[in-house]
Amino acid sequence: MRAMSVLAANGREAAESLRRAGLRTALGLIGVTIGVSSVIAMVSLGEIAKEQARKQFEALGTDIVVVRDRGGGVQDGIDLQTALNLQDSIPSILRAAPRIMGYGSFLFAGKDVGQGSVQGVTHSFAIVNKIPVKEGRFISNLDINRNYGVVGAEIAKKMRGLTQKELLGELIDVDGTLFTVVGVLEQYEESYALPVNIDANRSIFIPITTANRTSNEPHIEVIIALSAPGIHHETAAQDISNYLRTRSPKLQLDIVTAKELIAQMERQMGIFTLLLGGVGSISLVVGGIGVMNIMLVSVAERRVEIAIRRALGAQQSDIRSQFLIESIILTSAGGILGVALGLAATYAISQFTGWEFLISWISVASGLGTAAAVGLFFGFQPAYQASKLDPIAGLQGS
Amino acid sequence: MLKLKDVCRSYRLGPVKTEVLRGIEMDVRSGDLMSIMGPSGSGKTTLMNIIGLLDRPSSGSCILNDRNISGLKDNELSTLRNRYIGFVFQSFHLLPQLTALENVCLPLVYRGVERPKMRDRARELLKHVGMAERVNHRPNQLSGGQKQRVAIARALIGEPALLLADEPTGALDTDTAAEVMTLLKELNSENGVTILIITHDAAIAEQCTKQMRIRDGKLIDIQKYNADSQRGPEIKQRPGASS
Ligand SMILES: Nc1ncnc2c1ncn2[C@@H]1O[C@H](COP(=O)(O)OP(=O)(O)OP(=O)(O)O)[C@@H](O)[C@H]1O
Ligand SMILES: [Mg+2]
């Protein structure tokens, strides 16, 4: 009863006391506002980045399974025929796109049109990786051993600089071997979500059987597979592994699924957000120290007031709560301003980067919560000091 | 009501020990209007702090309503101050950020009285001390005399057993001082408030029914002293001064 009434009175008077402190209050407010807003902005940006990453992964498909030959094909790699049969042999797999990866320099009409990957693939590769064809067609499963090539957008652009004719049907020289252009690709946007480097724009895609003959490293480096609908990603991974191993028992495989990647990404982004939050918190701590400083000055200035209150019957705890309430009100107000400023900054940054703006309610709640906690924590020492002041000295010191 | 027995108070500054009060004997009774005089530095404020439960004696006992306060904790002393003591200070000591009304309410805030009740009571008291028109003024909008009236209302609102006034007229001009003194006397005679006034001013002291003086750290009753002493009066009694 008594405590509540004192608390209520302290609350009523706190705002007026803070207003009277004017500039000092404003400075404290700015410190906390900056601290809270940086926490909000940092954490919100972390959350937005995470959301952005999740979208990338989901666009890629959550059913992707990537199989890599860890042996690097040095001995007993993935058998080509086995890889080609994979898609039709395992019910838990919808598609499987093996790749033989080489590297070459490209000549067109006797001129250099760049260097890049020479990727031996099947038809499934374009589907699994959503590679869009602009002209002609992608590699087909009927192109066995043919010297056909599908050129990436950047190579195509260089080629167009050298001829007025249609590119389809033209010949392109890859390290001395001629390939007939059967398709030209659209500009391809690489997804960082996929743990496989595609680099379609600067590559030439050729039939995997051809690559097996011509490539300087004729081994299947990776298989990108899609699990069948309703199949658990681990089941699909296990089936692939078992199937490939029945043909080559010593095979050393690395298998990652999109689900695992997403989980891993979320873990990393979580750490990233935490780190950002930590960086933001530093300025909040600095703001808190500012508040502490301000409250200490305030206590020193108001020694007479404290002494008067004590003479009139205020207990030490009443004085303590009075100053604590002031600092909590100060930091909470800073918290509210900080949330507004932080969200505004986040909005501005998301507009600038083209990321989708979203309000991280967790960060708003924790921003307000920590602001109040900062007031409590950094306000405690000054409040304690105030409560321990000797009223006699205070009454004489006027 | 309040008894001091052999109260001593000394300050220690390093190796030097200053004995300010050396065996104060005092008996304040309900309804007293008492003055304490003494030259500057004689220990008047020191004594008032002890009576006002802000300070503890180095030795001796202080008994308030048959209760020895020496063993009490800080919180208990705060509660007793709030219940039994009303302070009036030379420099008023009103809180500048609060209105007259809010200043007067303070002792009841720390007693936990309901807000509407204490505000009504504060208004009544401000009216009683002639400040009905200035209820919502802040101290910097009031004159010295007005401030002291507000301070007196604040000291009275808790209905204390004892009103302690340290130089209540010290910061006021003669006329205003007289008005404040008249108010205090009225409160004593008409409302039965027990009042202890500490003062330099003989003219103020003379208006009190009991007059004491601090000398060499001891308290002496001037009227008794004058009667007993063959050396002539300590203070000249001016005819009609106590009316
Ligand atoms: N905290 C303290 N530490 C040391 N000495 C003190 C302290 N407080 C008071 N004194 C000493 O005690 C003596 C009495 O002080 P006190 O304030 O009680 O005098 P006073 O009678 O009220 O004087 P005045 O009329 O000037 O107000 C003085 O000599 C003073 O120096
Ligand atoms: Mg004094």
Side-chain angles (χ1 to χ4, degrees):
Chain A
M1 170 66 223
R2 196 199 87 92
M4 285 311 295
S5 124
V6 173
L7 218 59
N10 284 344
R12 274 194 303 274
E13 289 172 23
E16 174 64 14
S17 290
L18 287 169
R19 201 190 60 71
R20 284 175 64 88
L23 181 64
R24 228 184 307 126
T25 300
L27 290 177
L29 211 56
I30 289 170
V32 176
T33 299
I34 290 174
V36 171
S37 64
S38 62
V39 170
I40 297 277
M42 292 292 200
V43 172
S44 294
L45 285 176
E47 291 284 310
I48 287 174
K50 183 168 157 187
E51 189 56 34
Q52 207 65 21
R54 187 174 17 237
K55 282 214 183 101
Q56 283 256 6
F57 275 93
E58 277 164 6
L60 202 67
T62 52
D63 46 1
I64 280 189
V65 181
V66 173
V67 183
R68 232 180 251 283
D69 178 5
R70 209 192 308 158
V74 181
Q75 30 142 334
D76 208 11
I78 298 172
D79 175 57
L80 174 62
Q81 205 50 49
T82 312
L84 291 175
N85 291 343
L86 195 62
Q87 183 170 315
D88 296 328
S89 307
I90 308 178
S92 60
I93 292 295
L94 194 63
R95 289 196 174 271
R99 178 172 81 177
I100 291 178
M101 186 75 158
Y103 190 81
S105 306
F106 313 134
L107 292 177
F108 177 64
K111 299 258 165 49
D112 176 30
V113 287
Q115 298 166 333
S117 308
V118 181
Q119 307 189 25
V121 295
T122 61
H123 183 63
S124 289
F125 196 84
I127 298 170
V128 168
N129 293 308
K130 301 188 176 85
I131 299 173
V133 177
K134 190 176 177 193
E135 292 166 40
R137 62 177 176 83
F138 197 70
I139 297 301
S140 128
N141 290 349
L142 300 173
D143 295 338
I144 301 163
N145 286 330
R146 307 296 294 267
N147 280 13
Y148 286 165
V150 177
V151 296
E154 275 182 39
I155 299 169
K157 197 175 156 207
K158 283 185 187 156
M159 289 166 75
R160 282 204 188 85
L162 298 170
T163 178
Q164 304 297 328
K165 287 189 280 183
E166 224 189 313
L167 295 182
L168 296 180
E170 291 291 311
L171 290 175
I172 184 163
D173 179 318
V174 179
D175 287 345
T177 310
L178 290 176
F179 285 82
T180 308
V181 174
V182 295
V184 175
L185 299 179
E186 296 262 20
Q187 188 72 24
Y188 178 76
E189 201 176 323
E190 192 92 15
S191 166
Y192 62 82
L194 189 72
V196 178
N197 202 10
I198 305 287
D199 196 21
N201 297 331
R202 289 186 294 145
S203 297
I204 291 183
F205 294 89
I206 62 174
I208 193 165
T209 42
T210 313
N212 198 36
R213 270 189 305 110
T214 59
S215 173
N216 37 5
E217 283 180 65
H219 68 273
I220 294 173
E221 155 242 17
V222 67
I223 301 174
I224 306 173
L226 295 184
S227 55
I231 298 293
H232 194 271
H233 57 105
E234 275 173 17
T235 310
Q238 198 55 51
D239 286 354
I240 296 173
S241 165
N242 289 343
Y243 184 80
L244 294 176
R245 282 215 180 91
T246 52
R247 310 300 136 120
S248 335
K250 285 194 221 145
L251 218 48
Q252 291 183 299
L253 298 174
D254 269 336
I255 303 186
V256 282
T257 65
K259 288 263 167 58
E260 284 168 6
L261 288 174
I262 290 175
Q264 188 187 349
M265 174 278 290
E266 286 188 335
R267 263 198 309 279
Q268 285 174 351
M269 293 307 272
I271 294 170
F272 178 61
T273 305
L274 215 62
L275 201 76
L276 285 178
V279 170
S281 306
I282 292 172
S283 55
L284 188 55
V285 168
V286 173
I289 291 170
V291 167
M292 182 162 173
N293 199 13
I294 282 163
M295 292 310 294
L296 284 173
V297 173
S298 169
V299 168
E301 255 185 15
R302 290 159 69 187
R303 283 168 51 214
V304 180
E305 170 185 339
I306 294 163
I308 295 167
R309 289 180 186 271
R310 297 277 284 128
L312 299 180
Q315 305 197 339
Q316 294 185 0
S317 57
D318 299 334
I319 301 296
R320 208 159 52 223
S321 85
Q322 180 189 346
F323 282 90
L324 267 184
I325 284 174
E326 278 188 28
S327 74
I328 290 173
I329 285 182
L330 180 62
T331 57
S332 298
I336 291 168
L337 290 177
V339 165
L341 191 67
L343 289 181
T346 308
Y347 182 75
I349 294 173
S350 68
Q351 288 298 93
F352 185 71
T353 55
W355 291 354
E356 190 190 343
F357 174 68
L358 57 92
I359 293 178
S360 159
W361 292 110
I362 296 172
S363 75
V364 170
S366 61
L368 288 177
T370 29
V374 161
L376 194 65
F377 184 79
F378 289 98
F380 186 81
Q381 170 61 23
Y384 179 79
Q385 209 166 307
S387 74
K388 291 293 175 194
L389 282 178
D390 178 12
I392 299 168
L395 290 172
Q396 278 166 353
S398 58
Chain B
M1 187 199 70
L2 178 84
K3 281 199 181 77
L4 299 192
K5 286 190 186 145
D6 194 25
V7 163
C8 300
R9 181 69 169 96
S10 54
Y11 292 105
R12 205 182 294 275
L13 287 175
V16 191
K17 189 174 160 194
T18 353
E19 293 186 17
V20 181
L21 305 180
R22 316 168 185 226
I24 298 277
E25 301 286 338
M26 194 173 176
D27 186 3
V28 184
R29 286 158 198 266
S30 198
D32 276 353
L33 177 59
M34 185 186 277
S35 70
I36 296 179
M37 281 190 71
S40 190
S42 57
K44 302 186 295 295
T45 300
T46 304
L47 178 58
M48 188 187 99
N49 287 339
I50 289 172
I51 297 171
L53 311 181
L54 286 166
D55 196 8
R56 296 164 203 260
S58 310
S59 68
S61 51
C62 177
I63 295 151
L64 179 67
N65 287 340
D66 301 325
R67 189 168 174 201
N68 192 330
I69 64 114
S70 53
L72 297 183
K73 296 200 194 78
D74 189 89
N75 274 355
E76 294 169 313
L77 288 180
S78 300
T79 308
L80 289 182
R81 271 200 303 275
N82 183 262
R83 291 231 161 261
Y84 297 114
I85 312 288
F87 285 98
V88 173
F89 302 97
Q90 174 173 4
S91 45
F92 325 120
H93 281 333
L94 298 175
L95 299 193
Q97 70 269 38
L98 302 184
T99 62
L101 186 77
E102 290 165 336
N103 263 292
V104 174
C105 283
L106 274 177
L108 296 191
V109 167
Y110 293 117
R111 202 179 283 184
V113 173
E114 286 162 38
R115 200 161 130 84
K117 218 189 219 172
M118 68 173 138
R119 288 175 77 89
D120 287 348
R121 182 81 186 111
R123 250 185 222 104
E124 247 172 67
L125 271 169
L126 281 169
K127 193 173 162 199
H128 190 81
V129 299
M131 293 293 294
E133 310 290 298
R134 303 280 191 282
V135 169
N136 291 317
H137 284 52
R138 287 184 205 273
N140 61 3
Q141 300 164 325
L142 299 174
S143 73
Q146 289 170 334
K147 281 184 208 169
Q148 202 56 305
R149 284 165 187 274
V150 173
I152 289 168
R154 182 178 68 184
L156 290 172
I157 196 168
E159 290 169 358
L162 176 62
L163 191 149
L164 271 181
D166 190 0
E167 304 269 10
T169 58
L172 304 175
D173 64 53
T174 325
D175 290 348
T176 324
E179 280 171 28
V180 167
M181 199 52 212
T182 309
L183 175 62
L184 287 175
K185 280 195 295 183
E186 257 172 41
L187 287 168
N188 175 257
S189 58
E190 283 164 34
N191 304 75
V193 183
T194 312
I195 300 179
L196 176 56
I197 299 175
I198 289 172
T199 183
H200 267 120
D201 187 346
I204 298 283
E206 279 168 12
Q207 298 178 55
C208 296
T209 46
K210 279 192 185 173
Q211 294 160 31
M212 317 287 271
R213 173 174 275 271
I214 294 189
R215 170 177 291 178
D216 300 330
K218 293 201 160 93
L219 205 59
I220 48 176
D221 186 320
I222 293 169
Q223 287 140 324
K224 250 194 210 149
Y225 182 90
N226 288 346
D228 295 350
S229 171
Q230 305 302 313
R231 291 170 295 168
E234 175 78 14
I235 302 175
K236 261 202 208 135
Q237 289 275 358
R238 282 181 290 178
S242 57
S243 62

